[in-house]
């Protein structure tokens, strides 16, 4: 299954430079859509982060197979449909302050679900493509026990070839206060994904593991840039386990 044009970024350098200068952030002006169980009946929360060029409503529709009784869903909208302007393999500073602003939107969603009585330990955060890059970065920068984290066809931004930026984010994970405390983490992509290098995906799994996550890394043969059936199966299993656990 796919969500339309979901590549982390394929913009030409000239067009992204124009947009980057026009509006440095803007995410906080966008809506957070909701679906699933109403606040008074929420037992588990699912935060969904869409890919580049997609929408919050699109990702809500895409992940409808995950919906369960008592599961409330939040999906923030990225400003102009993208979380950050350049490739996740660009130097980290090239995607700031957009990346940090994106991470703050995830924190806003966590605050909202806590306000209706759903703790982080019963909250699942899932991102696809650029949304997966944001989910991975958020997990590294805000480590603690969560319900689960899904990084689908995405990576922790930062150049891998030179290793410097990837090592920088690893250092950040080690210096962050707290740990993911064995939070189940799924890092998955297809081996036919034209937008990601397997080296970068593996480095992302290593980084999340060093942050304390219990990481399942899955490279699916013959799958391109899409949400795989394997990813859905993993997410369904962790959500069902959370439902079996008393609040």
């Amino acid at each position: 299954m796919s969500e339309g044009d979901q590549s982390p970024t394929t913009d030409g350098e000239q067009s992204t430079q124009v947009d980057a200068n026009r509006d440095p952030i803007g995410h906080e002006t966008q809506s957070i859509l909701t679906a699933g169980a109403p606040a008074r009946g929420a037992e588990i929360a699912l935060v969904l982060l869409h890919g580049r060029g997609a929408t919050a409503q699109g990702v809500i529709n895409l992940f409808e197979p995950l919906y369960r009784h008592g599961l409330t869903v939040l999906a923030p909208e990225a400003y102009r449909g993208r979380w950050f302007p350049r490739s996740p393999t660009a130097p980290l500073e090239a995607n700031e302050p957009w990346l940090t602003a994106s991470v703050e939107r995830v924190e806003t969603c966590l605050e909202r679900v806590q306000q209706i009585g759903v703790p982080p330990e019963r909250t699942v955060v899932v991102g696809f493509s650029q949304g997966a890059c944001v989910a991975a970065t958020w997990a590294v920068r805000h480590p603690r026990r969560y319900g689960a984290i899904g990084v689908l066809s995405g990576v922790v931004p930062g150049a891998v070839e030179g290793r410097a930026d990837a090592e920088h984010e690893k250092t950040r994970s080690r210096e962050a206060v707290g740990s993911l405390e064995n939070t189940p983490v799924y890092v998955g992509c297809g081996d036919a994904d034209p937008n990601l290098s397997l080296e970068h995906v593996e480095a992302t799994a290593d980084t999340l593991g060093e942050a304390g996550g219990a990481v399942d890394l899955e490279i699916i043969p013959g799958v391109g840039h899409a949400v795989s059936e394997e990813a859905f199966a993993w997410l369904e299993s962790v959500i069902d386990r959370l439902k079996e656990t008393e609040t």
Side-chain angles (χ1 to χ4, degrees):
M1 301 181 186
S2 64
E3 195 194 352
D5 179 10
Q6 296 296 314
S7 59
T9 179
T10 55
D11 279 350
E13 187 66 22
Q14 183 175 359
S15 62
T16 55
Q17 184 67 47
V18 171
D19 289 341
N21 290 334
R22 184 179 300 161
D23 188 300
I25 306 179
H27 295 323
E28 63 183 349
T29 65
Q30 304 302 295
S31 301
I32 296 178
L33 303 188
T34 58
R40 63 180 180 278
E43 301 172 356
I44 305 170
L46 176 63
V47 176
L48 298 173
L49 302 170
H50 66 76
R52 177 179 176 275
T55 64
Q57 187 60 58
V59 78
I60 283 175
N61 297 341
L62 177 66
F63 286 95
E64 190 172 356
L66 299 180
Y67 294 4
R68 302 287 190 278
H69 178 75
L71 177 72
T72 193
V73 180
L74 283 76
E77 192 97 51
Y79 180 71
R80 301 183 68 178
R82 69 182 186 186
W83 295 108
F84 50 86
R86 296 189 173 84
S87 167
T89 60
L92 281 172
E93 58 268 24
N95 280 315
E96 294 291 7
W98 300 270
L99 185 59
T100 292
S102 302
V103 167
E104 289 172 356
R105 293 303 281 166
V106 183
E107 280 295 282
T108 298
C109 291
L110 267 291
E111 290 170 3
R112 290 193 181 184
V113 297
Q114 289 185 77
Q115 288 170 358
I116 62 173
V118 180
E121 295 86 351
R122 298 182 67 79
T123 299
V124 178
V125 176
V126 180
F128 175 59
S129 192
Q130 266 207 358
C133 299
V134 175
T137 305
W138 160 79
V140 168
R141 296 183 183 182
H142 296 276
R144 60 158 297 165
R145 175 71 192 199
Y146 299 105
I149 299 166
V151 179
L152 314 182
S153 300
V155 294
V156 173
V160 167
E161 289 77 6
R163 307 300 298 182
D165 287 327
E167 293 301 324
H168 173 78
E169 203 66 13
K170 283 186 178 181
T171 300
R172 184 195 287 270
S173 74
R174 289 192 291 269
E175 293 177 347
V177 176
S179 161
L180 289 172
E181 300 178 25
N182 287 320
T183 294
V185 178
Y186 181 87
V187 177
C189 77
D191 69 354
D193 191 328
N195 301 309
L196 300 173
S197 73
L198 295 184
E199 181 187 13
H200 205 164
V201 174
E202 291 166 355
T204 294
D206 289 345
T207 300
L208 291 166
E210 291 183 15
V215 179
D216 285 332
L217 170 63
E218 188 167 27
I219 308 298
I220 303 102
V223 172
H225 199 65
V227 181
S228 67
E229 296 297 335
E230 289 83 354
F232 269 110
W234 189 93
L235 291 166
E236 287 175 336
S237 69
V238 296
I239 289 173
D240 288 341
R241 283 202 299 272
L242 286 173
K243 277 192 62 64
E244 293 169 359
T245 305
E246 293 185 4
T247 57

